Amino acid sequence: MYLHTFRSLGTLSPPEQSIDFYGALQSLELPYSMHAHPVIPELIQAYCTSDWAAAMPTSSRNKSSSNSVTSTSSGGGMRTILKLVAKGDSIDDKREIDVFARRFQYYLMDGVPVYVVQRNNPSTKEEKILRLTNKGSNVFMESLLEISRKRRPGIMNVGMQGNFVASMDTITKLSRTPSLLLDLDEEEKKRFFSFETDLSRDPIMMLAKSKKDAMLLLCGLKLLLEREKIRHR
């Protein structure tokens, strides 16, 4: 009898009063809420809003006229900026870019809370975690960008369905420009972020927790992808 009662209790939902308590504990478990977030270097802040595409040609504007990173930041793409920094004499610029890239990678590996937006039901937004994972490979482009469901209070979530996984080398586009069909309010438009892969039929759309997070996701991912493209040319 007692054994039966114990087993039955294991299938019950947690008391309603405990929901907030579990939620508070889980927010503390996520490093996102415990550590300072990366700060985007001034050199690349101009690229926090512009879309990125894998096939986008590199702008040649200002290349021949000057080797100044500052003069190129308004006309060239991020790839141009990174090449000039790599070839330039400023150790501080190189260090600032390297530190940001490393901190952003850790930030994404820790997990970033987002609200996934469904194209066929844009009013429904489910909170999930966007995370960069590495399955043992030393090759960055083989790392995985994963969207997983946030754990539900008091429930074991082993084998939960609904995850999305894409390797970095399949990403074809990054954007902060929402479709007009989504009917987002002004505040939500500022938090919008999406990416596309060569394996997904539609963009993977989400709302970050804040505009700052959306800027960080676009700029940081763009930086990591562009650095890899430069290394392998």
Side-chain angles (χ1 to χ4, degrees):
M1 175 180 176
Y2 293 109
L3 181 60
H4 174 73
T5 303
F6 178 78
R7 286 176 177 169
S8 297
L9 287 173
T11 64
L12 295 177
S13 299
E16 186 176 347
Q17 295 85 348
S18 69
I19 299 297
D20 291 338
F21 175 71
Y22 278 118
L25 285 179
Q26 289 182 8
S27 66
L28 289 176
E29 290 173 4
L30 191 65
Y32 169 90
S33 60
M34 300 173 65
H35 304 314
H37 296 175
V39 177
I40 300 172
E42 186 175 351
L43 280 173
I44 58 175
Q45 282 184 0
Y47 306 103
C48 295
T49 56
S50 58
D51 291 359
W52 176 90
M56 187 177 292
T58 304
S59 172
S60 59
R61 184 178 169 187
N62 291 331
K63 270 187 177 180
S64 58
S65 61
S66 172
N67 280 331
S68 167
V69 172
T70 304
S71 68
T72 311
S73 61
S74 62
M78 183 181 284
R79 194 176 309 174
T80 303
I81 296 294
L82 296 179
K83 286 180 178 179
L84 289 174
V85 169
K87 295 177 181 178
D89 299 324
S90 175
I91 296 177
D92 289 340
D93 286 346
K94 294 176 183 177
R95 182 184 297 114
E96 188 177 19
I97 294 292
D98 287 341
V99 168
F100 171 72
R102 185 169 62 253
R103 288 181 176 174
F104 174 77
Q105 202 162 338
Y106 291 150
Y107 160 83
L108 200 52
M109 290 172 69
D110 284 339
V112 180
V114 295
Y115 295 92
V116 173
V117 180
Q118 302 295 336
R119 179 179 292 275
N120 56 354
N121 190 10
S123 61
T124 301
K125 303 173 182 67
E126 182 179 2
E127 186 171 9
K128 296 194 178 186
I129 303 297
L130 179 67
R131 178 178 278 113
L132 182 69
T133 60
N134 188 306
K135 300 301 183 182
S137 172
N138 292 325
V139 180
F140 171 75
M141 295 301 278
E142 294 179 2
S143 299
L144 303 177
L145 196 59
E146 176 181 350
I147 299 176
S148 57
R149 289 184 180 178
K150 189 174 181 181
R151 290 182 297 171
R152 298 174 183 174
I155 298 176
M156 295 297 291
N157 293 287
V158 177
M160 286 183 64
Q161 300 298 312
N163 291 0
F164 174 89
V165 179
S167 61
M168 294 297 294
D169 61 355
T170 66
I171 295 178
T172 57
K173 185 175 181 180
L174 305 169
S175 177
R176 285 190 56 215
T177 307
S179 166
L180 296 177
L181 299 176
L182 293 180
D183 193 27
L184 302 177
D185 61 35
E186 291 305 312
E187 189 270 339
E188 289 174 329
K189 289 177 182 177
K190 295 175 183 177
R191 297 190 289 123
F192 181 84
F193 173 72
S194 70
F195 65 90
E196 298 179 29
T197 76
D198 55 12
L199 301 176
S200 56
R201 185 177 60 181
D202 297 314
I204 312 303
M205 302 180 294
M206 62 199 76
L207 300 180
K209 284 276 190 178
S210 64
K211 176 184 176 181
K212 182 179 178 180
D213 277 359
M215 294 169 63
L216 193 52
L217 287 172
L218 177 63
C219 195
L221 282 170
K222 190 186 297 188
L223 171 64
L224 296 180
L225 290 168
E226 285 292 358
R227 278 168 60 121
E228 288 301 309
K229 286 184 174 292
I230 292 172
R231 283 176 184 156
H232 294 91
R233 280 184 177 273

